[in-house]
């Protein structure tokens, strides 16, 4: 059978493996766009409010660094695209990173690529299938995003340009991931490299937008912005992501032919002859394994908190500019102006950031599942190390790091707000507000341990719980939900600090629920067979 035949079969096989994941991700990208359209059409139906919004945003450095130049904000499609394109572009990039890594480097790491090549498949077939699957998923999402914008009554040509700009970012990162998968020999390192590329792209775009604009042209995220949808429209800029994708894919194919299957171009250096004292303990080994992930998440959340907090004075003006926004945030309470309204905004923001941060908590709790799937658990558990002690070390690291990261997020928001407004008095309250999100994250981590304890096949369902929490938050924020549905998410029960009063009893109860889930999961894992 020719290479093309194997590529097609591998494409269908990968599609079958991800038959639930890809539709959910595509729906999520389209739904994110739809939520922005629905919310802004409701909040800024009055042209006068749009003019106030544009005036409050214009020329603000923090806003430009976060979202890009304030272009065409006095029009409804302009403000929607300004809010949507940066976020959905990054989400598309993350989807590309995940899919390409999953079907290339992870397959090699698990030894399945060797079996495929032994059956007669060409070396390029797995890479081509992975890139084809990623392009198909991104293309389907782009069609959905354009359809949402057109259905909202916006110009069809500019709507398609918006979706194409987002698609270009995803394709560029797909090609970049393909190259990084050839350079490194581990999926974890591949993900780290590409995540760094995405972060660098964001930094270049932000610095370029704040300066003379030259660095913006060096960033894939900047290219999406430079297409100027609904503010002139520059279709020719799409040639940049197309060229970048073609170059990176060609480089990945050329590199693939020069390396051994299962290894990367860069070989890991030998470790020390003797292990450090901390590595001889389960908690020390768990910390060493997860330290890169912890540092990455901490740095990302800390930087984001500074930027968001630094926009405090602008956010307050924006909140005051729209009665609908003010009413939504105050939720019928007394936060109708000043610091109280800003506290309400930060409280709402911390909830969604905690949902995203729970991805770390779940990933940390499921780290033993990865060790089991790759056959390393048997080596560890063949020693006097007990099962419960081994898993508990990973879980403990995840729980402590989750709380510390959210507290740090509150700290950086408070510092950024203080720099922006000159008022640092809310820093302690924001630290407490960030830390208060931890019990809800712990519940999802506990659910992951429970599923892992039941069966290694059920561990992945924990990510479905995270998606469900995000869906509940989204629908509750942009529409009405039955109370019992809203109560299914643990993040619904977290006190909205610093705006609302603290509820120690609720936080203690949530912590107890997480402890029970973890305890039951550990007991179940102790009794089941390894995969």
């Amino acid at each position: 059978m020719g290479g093309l035949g194997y590529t097609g079969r591998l494409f269908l096989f990968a599609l079958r493996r991800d038959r639930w994941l890809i539709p959910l991700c595509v729906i999520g990208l389209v739904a994110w766009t739809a939520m922005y359209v629905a919310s802004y059409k409701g909040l800024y139906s009055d042209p006068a409010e749009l003019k106030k919004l544009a005036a409050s945003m214009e020329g603000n450095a923090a806003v430009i660094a976060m979202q890009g130049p304030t272009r065409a904000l006095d029009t409804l499609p302009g403000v929607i695209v300004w809010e949507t394109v940066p976020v959905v572009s990054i989400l598309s990039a993350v989807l590309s990173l995940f899919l390409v890594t999953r079907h290339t480097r992870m397959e090699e790491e698990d030894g399945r690529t060797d079996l495929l090549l032994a059956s007669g498949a060409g070396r390029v077939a797995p890479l081509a299938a992975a890139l084809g699957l990623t392009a198909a998923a991104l293309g389907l999402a782009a069609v959905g995003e354009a359809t949402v914008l057109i259905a909202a009554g916006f110009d069809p040509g500019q709507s398609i340009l918006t979706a194409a700009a987002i698609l270009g970012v995803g394709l560029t990162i797909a090609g970049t991931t393909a190259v990084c998968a050839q350079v490194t020999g581990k999926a974890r390192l591949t993900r780290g490299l590409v995540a760094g590329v995405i972060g660098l792209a964001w930094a270049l775009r932000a610095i370029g937008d704040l300066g003379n604009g030259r660095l913006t042209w060096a960033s894939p995220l900047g290219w999406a912005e430079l297409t100027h949808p609904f503010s002139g429209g520059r279709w020719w800029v799409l040639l940049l992501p197309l060229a970048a994708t073609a170059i990176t894919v060609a480089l990945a194919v050329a590199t693939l032919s020069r390396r051994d299957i299962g290894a990367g171009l860069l070989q890991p250096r030998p470790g020390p002859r003797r292990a450090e004292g901390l590595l001889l303990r389960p908690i020390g080994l768990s910390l060493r394994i997860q330290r890169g992930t912890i540092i990455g998440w901490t740095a990302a959340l800390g930087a984001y908190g500074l930027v968001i907090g630094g926009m405090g004075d602008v956010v307050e003006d924006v909140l005051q500019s729209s009665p609908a926004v003010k009413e939504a945030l105050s939720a019928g309470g007394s936060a109708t102006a000043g610091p109280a309204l800003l506290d309400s905004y930060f409280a709402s923001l911390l909830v969604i950031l905690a949902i995203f941060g729970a991805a770390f908590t779940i990933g940390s709790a499921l780290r033993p599942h990865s060790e089991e799937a790759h056959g390393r658990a048997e080596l560890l558990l063949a020693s006097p190390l007990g099962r419960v002690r081994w898993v508990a070390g990973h879980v403990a690291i995840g729980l402590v790091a989750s709380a510390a990261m959210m507290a740090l997020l509150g700290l950086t928001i408070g510092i950024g707000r203080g720099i922006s407004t000159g008022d640092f008095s809310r820093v302690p309250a924001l630290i407490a507000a960030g830390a208060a999100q931890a019990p809800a994250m712990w519940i999802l981590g506990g659910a992951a341990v429970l599923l892992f304890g039941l069966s290694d096949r059920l561990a992945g369902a924990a990510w479905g719980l995270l998606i469900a929490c995000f869906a509940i938050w989204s629908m509750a924020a942009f529409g009405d939900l039955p109370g019992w549905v809203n109560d299914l998410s643990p993040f619904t029960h977290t006190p909205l600090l610093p705006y609302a009063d603290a509820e120690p009893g609720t936080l203690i109860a949530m912590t107890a629920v997480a402890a029970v889930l973890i305890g039951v999961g550990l007991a179940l894992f102790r009794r089941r067979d390894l995969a």
Side-chain angles (χ1 to χ4, degrees):
M1 182 181 293
L4 182 60
Y6 274 107
T7 300
R9 290 186 177 222
L10 288 175
F11 175 89
L12 294 176
F13 177 67
L15 183 61
R16 187 178 185 278
R17 285 183 62 194
D18 293 339
R19 61 187 178 275
W20 296 110
L21 175 66
I22 289 178
L24 284 174
C25 291
V26 170
I27 291 171
L29 291 173
V30 177
W32 192 280
T33 304
M35 286 188 298
Y36 272 114
V37 171
S39 62
Y40 275 91
K41 288 189 76 171
L43 295 175
Y44 291 101
S45 56
D46 186 357
E49 292 185 358
L50 282 172
K51 291 182 179 180
K52 291 180 181 179
L53 174 66
S56 64
M57 294 288 191
E58 186 175 1
N60 184 275
V63 171
I64 293 173
M66 194 67 194
Q67 296 292 136
T70 53
R71 198 180 291 114
L73 294 190
D74 55 347
T75 66
L76 186 58
V79 71
I80 289 174
V81 167
W82 182 72
E83 285 277 12
T84 304
V85 169
V87 177
V88 181
S89 294
I90 292 176
L91 293 177
S92 298
V94 172
L95 176 60
S96 296
L97 160 62
F98 175 80
L99 288 178
V100 176
T101 304
R102 173 176 168 82
H103 295 289
T104 56
R105 176 48 60 189
M106 288 184 68
E107 292 295 284
E108 287 192 43
E109 195 172 338
D110 291 339
R112 288 188 285 267
T113 302
D114 294 310
L115 299 177
L116 289 172
L117 298 184
S119 68
R123 289 172 67 96
V124 180
L127 176 62
L131 291 172
L133 179 69
T134 304
L138 294 172
L140 188 59
V143 171
E145 291 153 5
T147 302
V148 167
L149 295 173
I150 294 172
F154 302 148
D155 179 75
Q158 296 298 306
S159 299
I160 294 173
L161 176 60
T162 302
I166 296 171
L167 173 62
V169 176
L171 292 177
T172 302
I173 298 302
T176 303
T177 307
V179 173
C180 292
Q182 315 310 314
V183 174
T184 68
K186 297 291 183 181
R188 177 169 53 87
L189 294 177
T190 299
R191 289 191 292 265
L193 279 177
V194 181
V197 170
I198 296 173
L200 178 62
W202 184 89
L204 289 173
R205 196 273 312 155
I207 296 171
D209 289 342
L210 291 172
N212 56 20
R214 292 178 183 175
L215 287 179
T216 305
W217 290 95
S219 167
L221 295 174
W223 299 338
E225 166 195 301
L226 291 167
T227 57
H228 290 187
F230 295 102
S231 58
R234 297 196 289 194
W235 288 85
W236 64 267
V237 177
L238 295 177
L239 294 174
L240 294 175
L242 289 177
T245 302
I247 292 171
T248 51
V249 170
L251 181 59
V253 172
T255 307
L256 177 59
S257 64
R258 299 175 62 87
R259 67 172 180 86
D260 294 331
I261 296 299
L265 285 181
L266 298 180
Q267 297 297 323
R269 62 182 181 181
R273 293 184 177 182
R274 296 179 180 273
E276 299 175 2
L278 187 61
L279 289 179
L280 300 178
R281 297 179 175 85
I283 194 73
L285 178 60
S286 300
L287 181 60
R288 177 66 174 270
I289 291 174
Q290 299 192 49
R291 67 179 181 180
T293 306
I294 293 173
I295 292 171
W297 273 94
T298 302
L301 288 176
Y304 189 78
L306 280 174
V307 174
I308 290 295
M311 296 170 59
D313 57 340
V314 179
V315 168
E316 189 171 351
D317 292 339
V318 173
L319 300 180
Q320 294 288 353
S321 69
S322 174
V325 176
K326 189 188 304 183
E327 180 181 354
L329 282 176
S330 62
S334 59
T336 58
L341 186 60
L342 196 56
D343 281 346
S344 180
Y345 167 77
F346 286 134
S348 300
L349 183 66
L350 281 168
V351 173
I352 182 58
L353 291 176
I355 295 176
F356 281 113
F360 165 80
T361 312
I362 292 175
S364 182
L366 291 181
R367 183 68 197 189
H369 173 254
S370 176
E371 299 294 299
E372 180 182 6
H374 289 87
R376 293 187 289 265
E378 290 92 336
L379 299 176
L380 286 171
L381 298 179
S383 68
L385 176 63
R387 286 187 173 208
V388 172
R389 191 180 174 199
W390 171 60
V391 176
H394 286 285
V395 175
I397 292 295
L399 299 184
V400 173
S402 298
M405 285 190 298
M406 291 307 297
L408 176 65
L409 175 62
L411 171 64
T412 54
I413 290 177
I415 293 175
R417 176 184 174 176
I419 295 173
S420 172
T421 64
D423 179 15
F424 289 90
S425 63
R426 303 300 290 166
V427 170
L430 285 165
I431 294 174
Q437 303 293 331
M441 301 164 70
W442 292 344
I443 288 178
L444 288 185
V449 176
L450 176 62
L451 292 168
F452 168 65
L454 283 169
S455 169
D456 67 294
R457 295 178 179 271
L458 293 177
W463 298 107
L465 297 178
L466 179 63
I467 294 173
C469 288
F470 176 74
I472 290 173
W473 172 85
S474 302
M475 289 184 285
F478 296 100
D480 294 328
L481 268 183
W484 67 270
V485 175
N486 202 26
D487 288 340
L488 292 176
S489 170
F491 298 94
T492 303
H493 306 283
T494 302
L496 291 176
L497 301 174
Y499 166 60
D501 294 331
E503 299 177 14
T506 301
L507 296 177
I508 292 173
M510 294 171 69
T511 302
V513 170
V516 170
L517 292 172
I518 293 171
V520 174
L522 292 175
L524 291 171
F525 176 69
R526 186 177 183 180
R527 300 176 63 87
R528 75 167 174 84
D529 293 332
L530 292 178

